[in-house]
Amino acid sequence: MSDLPSPQIENLFCHIPAQLSEEFVEILVKTTYFHLERIVSQGQATPPGQWYDQETHEWVALLSGGAGLLLEGDPEPVVMRPGDHLLIPARRRHRVEWTDPTQQTVWLALHFQ
Amino acid sequence: MSDLPSPQIENLFCHIPAQLSEEFVEILVKTTYFHLERIVSQGQATPPGQWYDQETHEWVALLSGGAGLLLEGDPEPVVMRPGDHLLIPARRRHRVEWTDPTQQTVWLALHFQ
């Protein structure tokens, strides 16, 4: 029988600051090779003209709320709804065009080499 | 501008076999250092007397449904509801006591060294 204390349960939809003037980012798991983040947005978007251009791959899932994600070269953003996920390869430039201003959008993002 | 085809969006709550006689396990992302799985259960549990005893750490999140997860040494299973997540250290023995028989329980499990 293990003497370790029991792992602590947390909830992805709880412990979010009431006022989100900026996106809320929290690292859930981190190793040398990857890190897993929870991100909470409410109305935030990538500033006009800016793109994410990352050296690491990113698997991203939207768990609540909604967002428009534009991949460079695409004519329109993809609309993400709860449960939607996709893999963005390293160096594929992308931006968040919008997130739902009326509710919290909770994301999981797994960045890896 | 990238010439890559656009990443494909999938949904964690879709494309699940209608009849789940066994748990449905699908690898979403895999590298040398980790793999991320989607697991769908409906009423399944770890067989009586059996434990998971893994060489890798496991971060697990329950996204829909409900389950009872027993960590060896604990008096009671922890009841997991949507959004609940926890980190199970390598070699911490655990078992799924129950999953909701009336709906699909969707999990994410990230196994890593």
Side-chain angles (χ1 to χ4, degrees):
Chain A
M1 188 177 294
S2 170
D3 290 329
L4 290 173
S6 276
Q8 178 118 12
I9 284 212
E10 306 280 354
N11 192 285
L12 295 165
F13 304 114
C14 299
H15 302 298
I16 298 168
Q19 295 301 319
L20 287 179
S21 57
E22 299 184 357
E23 279 189 328
F24 175 72
V25 181
E26 176 190 28
I27 292 181
L28 302 178
V29 186
K30 182 174 170 63
T31 74
T32 306
Y33 303 105
F34 72 85
H35 67 277
L36 176 68
E37 290 174 343
R38 174 174 74 142
I39 303 166
V40 185
S41 322
Q42 186 161 354
Q44 287 89 2
T46 313
Q50 291 190 20
W51 296 85
Y52 291 107
D53 185 2
Q54 300 167 168
E55 294 181 2
T56 50
H57 308 297
E58 179 178 0
W59 174 85
V60 64
L62 189 148
L63 300 184
S64 71
L69 179 71
L70 183 63
L71 297 151
E72 194 180 32
D74 281 3
E76 301 279 345
V78 290
V79 176
M80 295 186 70
R81 294 297 176 197
D84 284 346
H85 64 101
L86 81 169
L87 183 64
I88 306 172
R91 294 293 173 210
R92 180 71 195 260
R93 302 211 312 169
H94 58 282
R95 41 178 284 118
V96 178
E97 289 284 307
W98 56 267
T99 56
D100 190 331
T102 69
Q103 59 179 318
Q104 291 174 335
T105 292
V106 175
W107 314 75
L108 286 175
L110 179 65
H111 301 267
F112 62 97
Q113 297 172 341
Chain B
M1 190 176 292
S2 168
D3 289 330
L4 290 173
S6 276
Q8 177 116 15
I9 283 210
E10 306 280 355
N11 192 285
L12 295 165
F13 305 114
C14 299
H15 302 297
I16 298 169
Q19 297 299 323
L20 286 178
S21 57
E22 299 184 354
E23 280 189 328
F24 174 72
V25 181
E26 176 190 28
I27 292 181
L28 302 177
V29 186
K30 183 174 170 63
T31 74
T32 306
Y33 302 106
F34 72 85
H35 66 276
L36 176 67
E37 291 174 341
R38 175 175 73 143
I39 303 166
V40 185
S41 323
Q42 188 161 352
Q44 289 87 1
T46 313
Q50 290 190 19
W51 296 86
Y52 291 106
D53 185 3
Q54 301 167 167
E55 293 181 2
T56 49
H57 308 296
E58 179 178 0
W59 175 85
V60 64
L62 189 148
L63 300 184
S64 71
L69 179 71
L70 183 63
L71 297 151
E72 194 180 31
D74 281 3
E76 301 279 344
V78 289
V79 176
M80 294 185 71
R81 296 296 176 197
D84 284 346
H85 65 101
L86 81 169
L87 182 64
I88 305 172
R91 294 293 175 211
R92 180 69 196 260
R93 302 214 309 170
H94 58 281
R95 43 180 282 118
V96 178
E97 289 284 307
W98 55 268
T99 56
D100 190 333
T102 68
Q103 59 177 319
Q104 291 175 334
T105 292
V106 175
W107 313 77
L108 286 175
L110 178 65
H111 301 267
F112 62 98
Q113 298 170 342

